[in-house]
Amino acid sequence: MCKARELGLDVVYVQHPGRYDQGHWPYVDHALLLDYADSDELLPLVRTLHEMSPFQAVLTLSDFGLLPAAQLSETFGIGGESVTTVELLLDKSRMRERLAERGIGPVASGVGRTNQDVKEFVQVTGLPIIVKPTRESGSLAIFHVRHQEDADTVADRYLSLADKEWKPGDLGFADSFDDFLMEEFLDGPEVSVETLSFDGQHVVVAVTDKELGGTGFAEVGLSTPSRQPGETLREATRLVADLLDAVGLRNGPAHTEVKLTSRGPRIVESHNRIGGGGINDMTETVYGIDMERYALAAGLGVLEPLTESPEPRGAAAHAAIMPEPGRVVEVTGVDAVRADPAFIDVNVRVKPDDVVQPLTWNEDIAGWVLARGVTTAEAVANSKRLAAAIRVRTEPVA
């Protein structure tokens, strides 16, 4: 919120009650504390405030706020991204359908609900395939189905996740495990393309290389500038621009994941928000662009639009802290890491008595370190060195 105030904006902050405290007070003019996904509760309150002092924009930095923000923008006719655009990006099956209609990076896909659906999909596409939620993020509940015996049971394993005790905020949608998306497996490395759009003109700010780990597709390493060949990156960024045009994105940030396959680049998914996992800090360090400020300023004319991609100044990399699963006994090494010349930022997400889970998705990551370097290779080496210097000692859970 302080960045919104720095931009000269008056702020009405809509947030869950437990996530608002006195640290927000200096930057907020009015606060609405409620479940903002409940439109029946949200709309009358926002309408009353809008009638008293009309809003210029409804903006969010959160996955969960994207759809409510678009709904409010349409209701009050104040611009912003359309509900259709946001839903095309939130719903991966609808995004696949839109890309197929436009002939953009074709990927075989379908929505399933049973093991029979998986069997029929595999008969057409062959193995391996990916089974994942249609409307979640953070590498949640992604199954890489390589063998027929896995294909015969993956639907049951996926649907059973509905019975798991999820922490508040883990799931974006109550019906996430009612069905699933089936896709052909895309080979090759993965990058994310960070963009800002200004009246439909898309500017690439950064391309981020990814290192995946754990039993699923958790992002254990990120780095920029990308080390992929120049022509490969040009093809990938052209594909992203085609995607953003296809879904109708007009203003603000987008974070788009792309697989660089043997058949050319293919979209994995996209979101009209900034990337997580320290990507904004990496982008600001290397390119001098604070994408959070641009996200808060989208469509308001308080920041000059970018007209071309910025040039990198050095490199930055993010590495996950990955202790053995178990109960945390001790965390050491943080002060020494902060004193290192390559250090940018650190976030240790666990403390003594917390339980480290086996790494299956991004929320299982115990923490991360962000480091700089003259080159991307140097930044990656520094980030891994610093992450290894933070010792999270665990013991088996009784």
Tab-separated table of all heavy atoms in Angstrom, residues 174-231:
chain	number	residue	atom	x	y	z
A	174	ALA	N	-13.366	-23.159	-4.319
A	174	ALA	CA	-13.900	-24.263	-3.523
A	174	ALA	C	-14.077	-25.542	-4.336
A	174	ALA	O	-14.040	-26.645	-3.786
A	174	ALA	CB	-15.242	-23.855	-2.896
A	175	ASP	N	-14.275	-25.404	-5.649
A	175	ASP	CA	-14.539	-26.568	-6.490
A	175	ASP	C	-13.310	-27.004	-7.286
A	175	ASP	O	-13.437	-27.652	-8.327
A	175	ASP	CB	-15.698	-26.290	-7.444
A	175	ASP	CG	-15.417	-25.114	-8.380
A	175	ASP	OD1	-14.387	-24.423	-8.188
A	175	ASP	OD2	-16.220	-24.887	-9.301
A	176	SER	N	-12.110	-26.686	-6.799
A	176	SER	CA	-10.898	-26.942	-7.572
A	176	SER	C	-10.699	-28.412	-7.906
A	176	SER	O	-10.061	-28.748	-8.911
A	176	SER	CB	-9.669	-26.433	-6.807
A	176	SER	OG	-9.635	-25.032	-6.801
A	177	PHE	N	-11.215	-29.305	-7.075
A	177	PHE	CA	-10.975	-30.729	-7.295
A	177	PHE	C	-12.213	-31.464	-7.800
A	177	PHE	O	-12.316	-32.682	-7.675
A	177	PHE	CB	-10.429	-31.369	-6.012
A	177	PHE	CG	-9.120	-30.758	-5.585
A	177	PHE	CD1	-9.038	-29.984	-4.441
A	177	PHE	CD2	-7.982	-30.923	-6.352
A	177	PHE	CE1	-7.837	-29.396	-4.068
A	177	PHE	CE2	-6.784	-30.342	-5.985
A	177	PHE	CZ	-6.710	-29.585	-4.841
A	178	ASP	N	-13.147	-30.705	-8.396
A	178	ASP	CA	-14.308	-31.346	-9.013
A	178	ASP	C	-13.955	-31.919	-10.387
A	178	ASP	O	-14.575	-32.874	-10.845
A	178	ASP	CB	-15.454	-30.343	-9.168
A	178	ASP	CG	-16.099	-29.996	-7.836
A	178	ASP	OD1	-15.694	-30.577	-6.811
A	178	ASP	OD2	-16.992	-29.129	-7.819
A	179	ASP	N	-12.994	-31.293	-11.061
A	179	ASP	CA	-12.551	-31.780	-12.364
A	179	ASP	C	-11.084	-31.433	-12.533
A	179	ASP	O	-10.456	-30.871	-11.626
A	179	ASP	CB	-13.409	-31.221	-13.511
A	179	ASP	CG	-13.399	-29.698	-13.549
A	179	ASP	OD1	-12.470	-29.079	-12.976
A	179	ASP	OD2	-14.294	-29.093	-14.155
A	180	PHE	N	-10.506	-31.742	-13.678
A	180	PHE	CA	-9.082	-31.494	-13.893
A	180	PHE	C	-8.818	-31.298	-15.380
A	180	PHE	O	-9.619	-31.695	-16.241
A	180	PHE	CB	-8.230	-32.661	-13.353
A	180	PHE	CG	-8.716	-34.028	-13.746
A	180	PHE	CD1	-8.394	-34.574	-14.989
A	180	PHE	CD2	-9.501	-34.770	-12.884
A	180	PHE	CE1	-8.840	-35.826	-15.364
A	180	PHE	CE2	-9.964	-36.034	-13.254
A	180	PHE	CZ	-9.627	-36.569	-14.485
A	181	LEU	N	-7.686	-30.668	-15.647
A	181	LEU	CA	-7.248	-30.457	-17.024
A	181	LEU	C	-6.253	-31.545	-17.398
A	181	LEU	O	-5.324	-31.840	-16.640
A	181	LEU	CB	-6.591	-29.081	-17.160
A	181	LEU	CG	-6.164	-28.665	-18.570
A	181	LEU	CD1	-7.376	-28.479	-19.465
A	181	LEU	CD2	-5.342	-27.378	-18.506
A	182	MET	N	-6.436	-32.138	-18.568
A	182	MET	CA	-5.496	-33.108	-19.126
A	182	MET	C	-4.791	-32.456	-20.306
A	182	MET	O	-5.448	-31.855	-21.159
A	182	MET	CB	-6.235	-34.368	-19.594
A	182	MET	CG	-7.065	-35.040	-18.520
A	182	MET	SD	-8.106	-36.384	-19.175
A	182	MET	CE	-9.313	-35.440	-20.128
A	183	GLU	N	-3.463	-32.562	-20.334
A	183	GLU	CA	-2.693	-31.964	-21.421
A	183	GLU	C	-1.598	-32.917	-21.873
A	183	GLU	O	-1.054	-33.686	-21.060
A	183	GLU	CB	-2.018	-30.665	-20.963
A	183	GLU	CG	-2.956	-29.558	-20.590
A	183	GLU	CD	-2.203	-28.311	-20.150
A	183	GLU	OE1	-1.067	-28.443	-19.643
A	183	GLU	OE2	-2.762	-27.218	-20.302
A	184	GLU	N	-1.262	-32.828	-23.145
A	184	GLU	CA	-0.079	-33.547	-23.590
A	184	GLU	C	1.137	-33.003	-22.843
A	184	GLU	O	1.205	-31.824	-22.509
A	184	GLU	CB	0.128	-33.371	-25.097
A	184	GLU	CG	0.376	-31.922	-25.520
A	184	GLU	CD	0.733	-31.790	-26.982
A	184	GLU	OE1	1.796	-32.317	-27.373
A	184	GLU	OE2	-0.062	-31.163	-27.719
A	185	PHE	N	2.109	-33.859	-22.565
A	185	PHE	CA	3.314	-33.417	-21.877
A	185	PHE	C	4.166	-32.579	-22.826
A	185	PHE	O	4.393	-32.950	-23.976
A	185	PHE	CB	4.121	-34.620	-21.385
A	185	PHE	CG	5.429	-34.221	-20.759
A	185	PHE	CD1	5.459	-33.635	-19.513
A	185	PHE	CD2	6.623	-34.433	-21.431
A	185	PHE	CE1	6.659	-33.262	-18.935
A	185	PHE	CE2	7.836	-34.063	-20.863
A	185	PHE	CZ	7.852	-33.479	-19.612
A	186	LEU	N	4.616	-31.428	-22.325
A	186	LEU	CA	5.458	-30.529	-23.110
A	186	LEU	C	6.904	-30.695	-22.657
A	186	LEU	O	7.227	-30.426	-21.495
A	186	LEU	CB	5.004	-29.080	-22.928
A	186	LEU	CG	3.555	-28.778	-23.348
A	186	LEU	CD1	3.184	-27.344	-22.990
A	186	LEU	CD2	3.353	-29.035	-24.834
A	187	ASP	N	7.763	-31.108	-23.576
A	187	ASP	CA	9.164	-31.324	-23.225
A	187	ASP	C	9.919	-29.996	-23.219
A	187	ASP	O	9.401	-28.958	-23.620
A	187	ASP	CB	9.828	-32.305	-24.199
A	187	ASP	CG	9.865	-31.765	-25.632
A	187	ASP	OD1	9.168	-30.780	-25.928
A	187	ASP	OD2	10.590	-32.349	-26.460
A	188	GLY	N	11.163	-30.029	-22.744
A	188	GLY	CA	12.027	-28.853	-22.817
A	188	GLY	C	12.015	-28.007	-21.559
A	188	GLY	O	11.194	-28.193	-20.651
A	189	PRO	N	12.943	-27.034	-21.491
A	189	PRO	CA	13.015	-26.141	-20.335
A	189	PRO	C	11.841	-25.174	-20.291
A	189	PRO	O	11.154	-24.953	-21.289
A	189	PRO	CB	14.336	-25.400	-20.561
A	189	PRO	CG	14.546	-25.434	-22.040
A	189	PRO	CD	13.982	-26.746	-22.502
A	190	GLU	N	11.632	-24.583	-19.107
A	190	GLU	CA	10.526	-23.645	-18.912
A	190	GLU	C	11.069	-22.269	-18.548
A	190	GLU	O	12.022	-22.145	-17.781
A	190	GLU	CB	9.595	-24.141	-17.810
A	190	GLU	CG	8.369	-23.267	-17.597
A	190	GLU	CD	7.391	-23.851	-16.607
A	190	GLU	OE1	7.240	-25.095	-16.581
A	190	GLU	OE2	6.779	-23.062	-15.861
A	191	VAL	N	10.457	-21.249	-19.117
A	191	VAL	CA	10.759	-19.865	-18.757
A	191	VAL	C	9.443	-19.166	-18.422
A	191	VAL	O	8.363	-19.648	-18.766
A	191	VAL	CB	11.479	-19.101	-19.892
A	191	VAL	CG1	12.802	-19.765	-20.238
A	191	VAL	CG2	10.584	-18.976	-21.131
A	192	SER	N	9.557	-18.029	-17.728
A	192	SER	CA	8.388	-17.159	-17.591
A	192	SER	C	8.718	-15.818	-18.217
A	192	SER	O	9.853	-15.335	-18.145
A	192	SER	CB	7.969	-16.993	-16.128
A	192	SER	OG	8.935	-16.277	-15.390
A	193	VAL	N	7.719	-15.239	-18.855
A	193	VAL	CA	7.871	-13.959	-19.535
A	193	VAL	C	7.068	-12.922	-18.756
A	193	VAL	O	5.854	-13.067	-18.587
A	193	VAL	CB	7.394	-14.040	-20.996
A	193	VAL	CG1	7.545	-12.690	-21.687
A	193	VAL	CG2	8.161	-15.118	-21.749
A	194	GLU	N	7.776	-11.894	-18.269
A	194	GLU	CA	7.144	-10.844	-17.472
A	194	GLU	C	6.887	-9.654	-18.401
A	194	GLU	O	7.820	-9.128	-19.020
A	194	GLU	CB	8.044	-10.421	-16.318
A	194	GLU	CG	8.833	-11.532	-15.627
A	194	GLU	CD	8.007	-12.697	-15.136
A	194	GLU	OE1	6.827	-12.466	-14.772
A	194	GLU	OE2	8.516	-13.828	-15.107
A	195	THR	N	5.635	-9.246	-18.503
A	195	THR	CA	5.261	-8.174	-19.428
A	195	THR	C	4.471	-7.084	-18.719
A	195	THR	O	3.846	-7.318	-17.672
A	195	THR	CB	4.411	-8.711	-20.591
A	195	THR	OG1	3.266	-9.401	-20.058
A	195	THR	CG2	5.214	-9.658	-21.471
A	196	LEU	N	4.484	-5.915	-19.311
A	196	LEU	CA	3.587	-4.820	-18.951
A	196	LEU	C	2.874	-4.382	-20.221
A	196	LEU	O	3.504	-4.250	-21.277
A	196	LEU	CB	4.359	-3.646	-18.357
A	196	LEU	CG	4.955	-3.873	-16.964
A	196	LEU	CD1	5.917	-2.750	-16.606
A	196	LEU	CD2	3.857	-3.978	-15.913
A	197	SER	N	1.565	-4.165	-20.111
A	197	SER	CA	0.771	-3.755	-21.270
A	197	SER	C	0.228	-2.357	-21.064
A	197	SER	O	-0.169	-1.981	-19.947
A	197	SER	CB	-0.389	-4.734	-21.499
A	197	SER	OG	0.102	-6.033	-21.785
A	198	PHE	N	0.216	-1.584	-22.138
A	198	PHE	CA	-0.242	-0.195	-22.117
A	198	PHE	C	-1.175	-0.002	-23.310
A	198	PHE	O	-0.722	0.026	-24.460
A	198	PHE	CB	0.949	0.761	-22.207
A	198	PHE	CG	2.000	0.533	-21.147
A	198	PHE	CD1	3.053	-0.341	-21.387
A	198	PHE	CD2	1.922	1.162	-19.909
A	198	PHE	CE1	4.019	-0.567	-20.413
A	198	PHE	CE2	2.889	0.933	-18.939
A	198	PHE	CZ	3.937	0.073	-19.185
A	199	ASP	N	-2.484	0.068	-23.037
A	199	ASP	CA	-3.488	0.217	-24.101
A	199	ASP	C	-3.296	-0.841	-25.191
A	199	ASP	O	-3.361	-0.551	-26.391
A	199	ASP	CB	-3.427	1.610	-24.706
A	199	ASP	CG	-3.950	2.673	-23.742
A	199	ASP	OD1	-4.835	2.347	-22.920
A	199	ASP	OD2	-3.469	3.816	-23.793
A	200	GLY	N	-3.032	-2.072	-24.763
A	200	GLY	CA	-2.920	-3.185	-25.697
A	200	GLY	C	-1.556	-3.370	-26.315
A	200	GLY	O	-1.363	-4.304	-27.105
A	201	GLN	N	-0.586	-2.520	-25.976
A	201	GLN	CA	0.785	-2.693	-26.454
A	201	GLN	C	1.592	-3.397	-25.364
A	201	GLN	O	1.705	-2.899	-24.250
A	201	GLN	CB	1.416	-1.334	-26.783
A	201	GLN	CG	0.687	-0.572	-27.872
A	201	GLN	CD	0.665	-1.332	-29.191
A	201	GLN	OE1	1.694	-1.784	-29.680
A	201	GLN	NE2	-0.523	-1.448	-29.776
A	202	HIS	N	2.135	-4.557	-25.704
A	202	HIS	CA	2.775	-5.410	-24.714
A	202	HIS	C	4.295	-5.235	-24.775
A	202	HIS	O	4.904	-5.380	-25.846
A	202	HIS	CB	2.417	-6.869	-24.960
A	202	HIS	CG	0.961	-7.092	-25.231
A	202	HIS	ND1	-0.026	-6.755	-24.326
A	202	HIS	CD2	0.303	-7.595	-26.324
A	202	HIS	CE1	-1.211	-7.048	-24.830
A	202	HIS	NE2	-1.040	-7.559	-26.037
A	203	VAL	N	4.895	-4.936	-23.636
A	203	VAL	CA	6.330	-4.733	-23.538
A	203	VAL	C	6.920	-5.830	-22.649
A	203	VAL	O	6.489	-5.993	-21.498
A	203	VAL	CB	6.668	-3.347	-22.958
A	203	VAL	CG1	8.184	-3.172	-22.827
A	203	VAL	CG2	6.072	-2.248	-23.825
A	204	VAL	N	7.883	-6.568	-23.182
A	204	VAL	CA	8.567	-7.590	-22.388
A	204	VAL	C	9.555	-6.897	-21.463
A	204	VAL	O	10.430	-6.155	-21.907
A	204	VAL	CB	9.295	-8.594	-23.296
A	204	VAL	CG1	10.107	-9.584	-22.446
A	204	VAL	CG2	8.293	-9.343	-24.170
A	205	VAL	N	9.410	-7.127	-20.163
A	205	VAL	CA	10.315	-6.547	-19.180
A	205	VAL	C	11.456	-7.507	-18.860
A	205	VAL	O	12.608	-7.105	-18.751
A	205	VAL	CB	9.558	-6.166	-17.892
A	205	VAL	CG1	10.515	-5.617	-16.839
A	205	VAL	CG2	8.457	-5.157	-18.202
A	206	ALA	N	11.140	-8.800	-18.715
A	206	ALA	CA	12.165	-9.783	-18.348
A	206	ALA	C	11.711	-11.164	-18.784
A	206	ALA	O	10.511	-11.434	-18.913
A	206	ALA	CB	12.418	-9.767	-16.845
A	207	VAL	N	12.686	-12.036	-19.002
A	207	VAL	CA	12.426	-13.467	-19.190
A	207	VAL	C	13.215	-14.198	-18.105
A	207	VAL	O	14.413	-13.968	-17.931
A	207	VAL	CB	12.837	-13.955	-20.582
A	207	VAL	CG1	12.539	-15.453	-20.716
A	207	VAL	CG2	12.111	-13.178	-21.670
A	208	THR	N	12.524	-15.068	-17.383
A	208	THR	CA	13.086	-15.741	-16.221
A	208	THR	C	13.249	-17.226	-16.506
A	208	THR	O	12.288	-17.894	-16.897
A	208	THR	CB	12.156	-15.560	-15.002
A	208	THR	OG1	11.938	-14.170	-14.773
A	208	THR	CG2	12.735	-16.198	-13.760
A	209	ASP	N	14.453	-17.753	-16.309
A	209	ASP	CA	14.679	-19.192	-16.390
A	209	ASP	C	14.200	-19.850	-15.106
A	209	ASP	O	14.310	-19.263	-14.017
A	209	ASP	CB	16.164	-19.503	-16.589
A	209	ASP	CG	16.666	-19.134	-17.971
A	209	ASP	OD1	15.833	-18.994	-18.892
A	209	ASP	OD2	17.898	-18.979	-18.134
A	210	LYS	N	13.703	-21.092	-15.226
A	210	LYS	CA	13.190	-21.815	-14.066
A	210	LYS	C	13.932	-23.130	-13.868
A	210	LYS	O	14.276	-23.813	-14.829
A	210	LYS	CB	11.701	-22.134	-14.243
A	210	LYS	CG	10.787	-20.934	-14.192
A	210	LYS	CD	9.351	-21.397	-14.149
A	210	LYS	CE	8.402	-20.220	-14.049
A	210	LYS	NZ	7.011	-20.648	-13.835
A	211	GLU	N	14.131	-23.476	-12.606
A	211	GLU	CA	14.596	-24.807	-12.231
A	211	GLU	C	13.505	-25.440	-11.381
A	211	GLU	O	13.075	-24.859	-10.373
A	211	GLU	CB	15.898	-24.717	-11.438
A	211	GLU	CG	16.424	-26.072	-10.985
A	211	GLU	CD	17.659	-25.972	-10.117
A	211	GLU	OE1	18.233	-24.869	-10.020
A	211	GLU	OE2	18.053	-26.997	-9.519
A	212	LEU	N	13.044	-26.599	-11.811
A	212	LEU	CA	11.955	-27.279	-11.113
A	212	LEU	C	12.510	-28.413	-10.263
A	212	LEU	O	13.525	-29.024	-10.596
A	212	LEU	CB	10.936	-27.816	-12.117
A	212	LEU	CG	10.346	-26.785	-13.077
A	212	LEU	CD1	9.370	-27.448	-14.037
A	212	LEU	CD2	9.648	-25.657	-12.317
A	213	GLY	N	11.820	-28.711	-9.145
A	213	GLY	CA	12.296	-29.767	-8.259
A	213	GLY	C	11.170	-30.373	-7.455
A	213	GLY	O	9.999	-30.032	-7.623
A	214	GLY	N	11.525	-31.257	-6.534
A	214	GLY	CA	10.536	-31.962	-5.726
A	214	GLY	C	9.859	-33.051	-6.518
A	214	GLY	O	10.262	-33.411	-7.628
A	215	THR	N	8.794	-33.589	-5.962
A	215	THR	CA	8.059	-34.661	-6.635
A	215	THR	C	7.095	-34.122	-7.680
A	215	THR	O	6.551	-34.889	-8.459
A	215	THR	CB	7.268	-35.491	-5.611
A	215	THR	OG1	6.352	-34.620	-4.911
A	215	THR	CG2	8.201	-36.138	-4.587
A	216	GLY	N	6.853	-32.814	-7.673
A	216	GLY	CA	5.955	-32.219	-8.656
A	216	GLY	C	6.691	-31.232	-9.522
A	216	GLY	O	7.712	-31.562	-10.134
A	217	PHE	N	6.208	-29.985	-9.547
A	217	PHE	CA	6.791	-28.958	-10.400
A	217	PHE	C	7.079	-27.693	-9.592
A	217	PHE	O	6.907	-26.590	-10.080
A	217	PHE	CB	5.845	-28.663	-11.565
A	217	PHE	CG	5.732	-29.810	-12.534
A	217	PHE	CD1	4.883	-30.877	-12.292
A	217	PHE	CD2	6.496	-29.830	-13.687
A	217	PHE	CE1	4.791	-31.943	-13.182
A	217	PHE	CE2	6.412	-30.884	-14.584
A	217	PHE	CZ	5.560	-31.944	-14.337
A	218	ALA	N	7.543	-27.876	-8.358
A	218	ALA	CA	7.879	-26.734	-7.515
A	218	ALA	C	9.045	-25.961	-8.120
A	218	ALA	O	9.986	-26.546	-8.660
A	218	ALA	CB	8.239	-27.202	-6.111
A	219	GLU	N	8.980	-24.630	-8.016
A	219	GLU	CA	10.008	-23.767	-8.591
A	219	GLU	C	11.113	-23.553	-7.556
A	219	GLU	O	10.983	-22.736	-6.645
A	219	GLU	CB	9.387	-22.436	-9.014
A	219	GLU	CG	8.341	-22.620	-10.109
A	219	GLU	CD	7.552	-21.350	-10.395
A	219	GLU	OE1	7.767	-20.344	-9.678
A	219	GLU	OE2	6.725	-21.374	-11.314
A	220	VAL	N	12.205	-24.296	-7.681
A	220	VAL	CA	13.281	-24.242	-6.694
A	220	VAL	C	14.398	-23.295	-7.109
A	220	VAL	O	15.315	-23.023	-6.324
A	220	VAL	CB	13.848	-25.646	-6.404
A	220	VAL	CG1	12.750	-26.563	-5.878
A	220	VAL	CG2	14.491	-26.254	-7.649
A	221	GLY	N	14.358	-22.782	-8.332
A	221	GLY	CA	15.362	-21.839	-8.784
A	221	GLY	C	14.819	-20.952	-9.886
A	221	GLY	O	14.118	-21.428	-10.790
A	222	LEU	N	15.111	-19.646	-9.812
A	222	LEU	CA	14.702	-18.678	-10.825
A	222	LEU	C	15.899	-17.775	-11.104
A	222	LEU	O	16.662	-17.452	-10.191
A	222	LEU	CB	13.528	-17.820	-10.335
A	222	LEU	CG	12.247	-18.536	-9.908
A	222	LEU	CD1	11.315	-17.565	-9.197
A	222	LEU	CD2	11.552	-19.158	-11.098
A	223	SER	N	16.043	-17.345	-12.350
A	223	SER	CA	17.158	-16.453	-12.673
A	223	SER	C	16.840	-15.612	-13.903
A	223	SER	O	16.091	-16.035	-14.785
A	223	SER	CB	18.443	-17.255	-12.914
A	223	SER	OG	18.284	-18.173	-13.974
A	224	THR	N	17.408	-14.408	-13.927
A	224	THR	CA	17.259	-13.505	-15.065
A	224	THR	C	18.505	-12.643	-15.176
A	224	THR	O	19.126	-12.351	-14.163
A	224	THR	CB	16.005	-12.613	-14.915
A	224	THR	OG1	15.695	-11.977	-16.131
A	224	THR	CG2	16.174	-11.567	-13.835
A	225	PRO	N	18.928	-12.279	-16.380
A	225	PRO	CA	18.338	-12.560	-17.700
A	225	PRO	C	18.405	-14.052	-18.058
A	225	PRO	O	19.277	-14.778	-17.573
A	225	PRO	CB	19.213	-11.750	-18.665
A	225	PRO	CG	19.934	-10.752	-17.818
A	225	PRO	CD	20.109	-11.395	-16.494
A	226	SER	N	17.484	-14.464	-18.904
A	226	SER	CA	17.476	-15.847	-19.362
A	226	SER	C	18.750	-16.170	-20.135
A	226	SER	O	19.293	-15.336	-20.866
A	226	SER	CB	16.275	-16.091	-20.269
A	226	SER	OG	16.345	-17.381	-20.853
A	227	ARG	N	19.193	-17.424	-19.983
A	227	ARG	CA	20.374	-17.897	-20.715
A	227	ARG	C	19.993	-18.665	-21.972
A	227	ARG	O	20.849	-19.273	-22.614
A	227	ARG	CB	21.243	-18.756	-19.797
A	227	ARG	CG	21.949	-17.953	-18.712
A	227	ARG	CD	22.856	-18.806	-17.855
A	227	ARG	NE	22.108	-19.540	-16.843
A	227	ARG	CZ	22.663	-20.355	-15.949
A	227	ARG	NH1	23.967	-20.564	-15.960
A	227	ARG	NH2	21.912	-20.967	-15.040
A	228	GLN	N	18.714	-18.651	-22.351
A	228	GLN	CA	18.288	-19.333	-23.570
A	228	GLN	C	18.746	-18.540	-24.800
A	228	GLN	O	18.922	-17.322	-24.736
A	228	GLN	CB	16.768	-19.500	-23.583
A	228	GLN	CG	16.239	-20.414	-22.494
A	228	GLN	CD	16.725	-21.843	-22.650
A	228	GLN	OE1	16.915	-22.323	-23.777
A	228	GLN	NE2	16.932	-22.535	-21.532
A	229	PRO	N	18.917	-19.215	-25.955
A	229	PRO	CA	19.368	-18.525	-27.177
A	229	PRO	C	18.421	-17.395	-27.587
A	229	PRO	O	17.205	-17.472	-27.380
A	229	PRO	CB	19.385	-19.638	-28.228
A	229	PRO	CG	19.503	-20.910	-27.449
A	229	PRO	CD	18.780	-20.672	-26.162
A	230	GLY	N	18.991	-16.367	-28.190
A	230	GLY	CA	18.230	-15.175	-28.546
A	230	GLY	C	17.035	-15.452	-29.432
A	230	GLY	O	15.937	-14.936	-29.194
A	231	GLU	N	17.202	-16.270	-30.473
A	231	GLU	CA	16.081	-16.546	-31.377
A	231	GLU	C	14.994	-17.326	-30.665
A	231	GLU	O	13.795	-17.096	-30.910
A	231	GLU	CB	16.568	-17.307	-32.616
A	231	GLU	CG	15.469	-17.599	-33.640
A	231	GLU	CD	14.701	-16.346	-34.072
A	231	GLU	OE1	15.311	-15.266	-34.167
A	231	GLU	OE2	13.482	-16.465	-34.317
